[in-house]
Amino acid sequence: MQDFLTHFEAKGFYVFPSYIENETAEGIRAEIERLREQELFKKAGIGRESNFQIDQAQRGDFIHWIEPLTASADTNVFLGKLQELVTELNRNFYLGIRGFECHYTQYPEGTFYKRHTDRHKNVSHRIVSFVLYLNENWRLEEGGILRIYHEDESHDDVWPQNGTLAIFLSEKEHEVLPTSRTRQSITGWMRNNEVI
Ligand code: OGA
Ligand code: MN
């Protein structure tokens, strides 16, 4: 935990290699599969409300928002652990996180998400972004890397490997490089107002 706190404070991000058990990841993948079969995933957009638009040139992922009350037991195992992480972040960094929102995400083959930040203009409620990856045996040549940029233009890369959790300050610029294989995750945001 100390390593995490020191690193997060210095660089504004951290990667937990095996954040959840394989069985939990398997259960979450099964739920994603079920929701896909019921056609409950929707093309993700950019911008909020009246500015909302779908722009395939910017991002190519499909999403389904998670409702904790109806989500599967395995998804709730993850949400429970995340709540502990929120407590830890608040205790150490006074971030004032009061809740989080998240969705299941699928990037089909050939898609990406161009460089952006997760803090919408004039809306500053997203404080920390997190992504839990659900892809078994990911190989480097399959791409789909999360690239996090720093102020000096250097960057760090995160592989979307099964069970890995990446967290970063939502104001940091980042992108998802093109993936050559379906790429699955839970993506979310810790907010300074109440959501979950
Ligand atoms: C996002 C995002 C990163 C990832 O959905 O806003 O940047 O690795 N996702 O999926
Ligand atoms: Mn993002």
Side-chain angles (χ1 to χ4, degrees):
M1 194 53 86
Q2 199 48 48
D3 192 37
F4 151 57
L5 294 170
T6 310
H7 188 279
F8 187 79
E9 184 167 30
K11 305 212 77 178
F13 82 100
Y14 193 72
V15 180
F16 299 89
S18 297
Y19 194 71
I20 56 167
E21 309 275 333
N22 276 338
E23 277 172 28
T24 309
E26 210 174 297
I28 300 173
R29 275 199 303 275
E31 180 158 26
I32 290 177
E33 188 60 38
R34 233 176 1 255
L35 293 163
R36 281 295 294 194
E37 275 167 14
Q38 295 169 36
E39 298 183 0
L40 292 172
F41 270 67
K42 292 201 164 53
K43 187 76 192 59
I46 51 174
R48 297 232 120 179
E49 292 159 10
S50 61
N51 284 324
F52 182 86
Q53 45 185 295
I54 287 173
D55 183 354
Q56 190 70 20
Q58 183 68 19
R59 67 188 289 192
D61 54 326
F62 289 75
I63 65 170
H64 175 92
W65 285 97
I66 296 173
E67 302 282 351
L69 287 176
T70 54
S72 72
D74 288 305
T75 294
N76 274 296
V77 167
F78 169 61
L79 298 183
K81 284 190 61 111
L82 207 62
Q83 192 55 55
E84 290 170 23
L85 188 56
V86 165
T87 306
E88 203 60 39
L89 285 167
N90 274 340
R91 186 160 51 219
N92 288 281
F93 303 118
Y94 309 100
L95 292 172
I97 297 162
R98 297 183 59 199
F100 54 84
E101 57 187 348
C102 53
H103 54 59
Y104 301 113
T105 314
Q106 260 196 3
Y107 286 80
E109 237 180 275
T111 59
F112 50 81
Y113 193 158
K114 290 260 175 77
R115 185 165 169 165
H116 66 283
T117 80
D118 290 342
R119 271 184 109 147
H120 293 287
K121 276 202 184 83
N122 309 321
V123 185
S124 58
H125 294 299
R126 289 177 167 179
I127 307 299
V128 175
S129 305
F130 58 88
V131 193
L132 174 73
Y133 298 105
L134 300 163
N135 310 291
E136 283 182 300
N137 307 316
W138 196 267
R139 291 179 300 131
L140 188 54
E141 60 267 32
E142 290 169 324
I145 276 166
L146 166 65
R147 179 160 288 173
I148 300 171
Y149 294 94
H150 307 300
E151 276 178 3
D152 62 3
E153 274 300 308
S154 64
H155 64 255
D156 279 287
D157 285 347
V158 185
W159 271 25
Q161 196 63 262
N162 197 39
T164 295
L165 178 76
I167 69 168
F168 54 92
L169 291 172
S170 299
E171 68 201 32
K172 285 185 87 67
E173 293 198 358
H174 57 280
E175 72 177 311
V176 177
L177 300 178
T179 180
S180 66
R181 164 183 161 191
T182 302
R183 177 191 192 268
Q184 307 197 115
S185 60
I186 289 180
T187 315
W189 300 273
M190 300 176 187
R191 301 173 58 113
N192 62 4
N193 59 359
E194 260 163 80
V195 182
I196 289 183

